[in-house]
Amino acid sequence: MPHLCLASASPRRLELLTSIDVDCDVRPVDIDETPLPGENPRDYVCRLAREKALAGATFSDLPVLGSDTAVVLDGEILGKPRDRAHALEMLSALSDTTHEVLTGVAVSGPQGLLEACVTTRVTLRAITPREAAAYWETGEPCDKAGGFGIQGRAAVFVSHIEGSHSAVVGLPLYETAELLERQGVALWMSDRAAVS
């Protein structure tokens, strides 16, 4: 029986929640993800997380989790690649630099709307044009913010990470677990404690 409504189509978020034994009813919501004029990246991901959780709450009696992740380089949000050229352009810009990954998470439930935002700094080694082109051909970058997935083949490009690995994948588990427990959603620890 589901404990949580996940207002996201992201298979990575579902995998992360499954890893802490949270059974989800997956109900993606359709919201406009266009940044507002002058909106900074942190406000942007937090707003989208809130909007997703609140949209999901209109059709679910369960607590609802919404989340959004943005790759940010020099204050600019790098979204999902539009095409091959855009992906290679983003990988070139991220090559041999440190960028930020911001992930907002919001959970609506009995305690109202609870939220958190996590910033992780990720350093990529120099990526050659040949490597970037080969990576695009794998199909992996197509639906990834910034055009790369840290949990996949692009892990070989990551030389250093400062912060939450799971947040870069799509959901900061430490902060998410705290929000879920405050909303009464049982995690693996809660389930095991109840049995013993």
Side-chain angles (χ1 to χ4, degrees), residues 13 33 44-46 48-49 52 66-70 102-105 170:
R13 291 193 179 107
E33 299 192 8
Y44 169 73
V45 297
C46 290
L48 292 188
K52 290 175 185 178
S67 184
D68 194 75
T69 301
L102 281 71
T103 300
V105 58

Side-chain angles (χ1 to χ4, degrees), residues 17 102 104 125 150 155 187 192:
L17 288 165
L102 281 71
R125 67 162 172 80
I150 194 171
L187 309 178
R192 300 237 166 105

